[in-house]
Amino acid sequence: MAEPNRRFLLELLAEGGRSAGELVEALPSLTQPAVSRHLRVLREVGLVEVRPEAQRRIYTLCPERLVELDQWLSRYRRFWSDRLDALEQHLNTTHGTPRPNGKTR
């Protein structure tokens, strides 16, 4: 998932199933074999599944695996929250708290 093209493929599949050809077209900077390799990696880790439909291969997300990933990440969210809270406090201290009229205090 750290690879940007794989994340983009997951974003596309979050909208619904797509054929391999549609996924290749959505990534014009990559060759068909490169997109196929990314899809194979996503399939091997269980994030997507593929089913034949006539002459096409349709890829879809596997939501169960995404739930597992979310549960694993939940242990680390507190680190993000702490850092975002610290950033907000720093910005408020440095730049003041914005008011509705756009001015700072």
Side-chain angles (χ1 to χ4, degrees):
M1 291 204 38
E3 207 285 329
N5 291 308
R6 290 184 194 142
R7 284 196 312 268
F8 183 68
L9 289 168
L10 290 173
E11 288 175 25
L12 291 173
L13 293 173
E15 298 169 1
R18 296 192 186 226
S19 70
E22 291 172 313
L23 295 170
V24 170
E25 287 176 12
L27 288 162
S29 62
L30 297 180
T31 63
Q32 183 276 327
V35 174
S36 292
R37 282 190 298 273
H38 287 304
L39 289 168
R40 185 185 74 235
V41 169
L42 292 172
R43 203 174 61 246
E44 287 173 354
V45 297
L47 291 173
V48 301
E49 56 190 13
V50 62
R51 73 178 190 285
E53 188 176 278
Q55 299 299 321
R56 303 179 332 157
R57 296 173 63 96
I58 306 298
Y59 287 84
T60 55
L61 279 182
C62 295
E64 308 83 30
R65 293 292 289 174
L66 293 172
V67 169
E68 289 177 33
L69 180 61
D70 183 58
Q71 290 171 346
W72 181 80
L73 285 171
S74 68
R75 295 184 298 181
Y76 303 97
R77 281 199 182 89
R78 66 183 169 92
F79 297 112
W80 303 329
S81 296
D82 292 346
R83 293 191 191 259
L84 290 174
D85 291 343
L87 175 61
E88 180 181 31
Q89 183 178 13
H90 170 74
L91 292 174
N92 287 339
T93 303
T94 308
H95 301 287
T97 304
R99 294 182 185 174
N101 62 7
K103 296 181 181 178
T104 56
R105 293 185 218 180

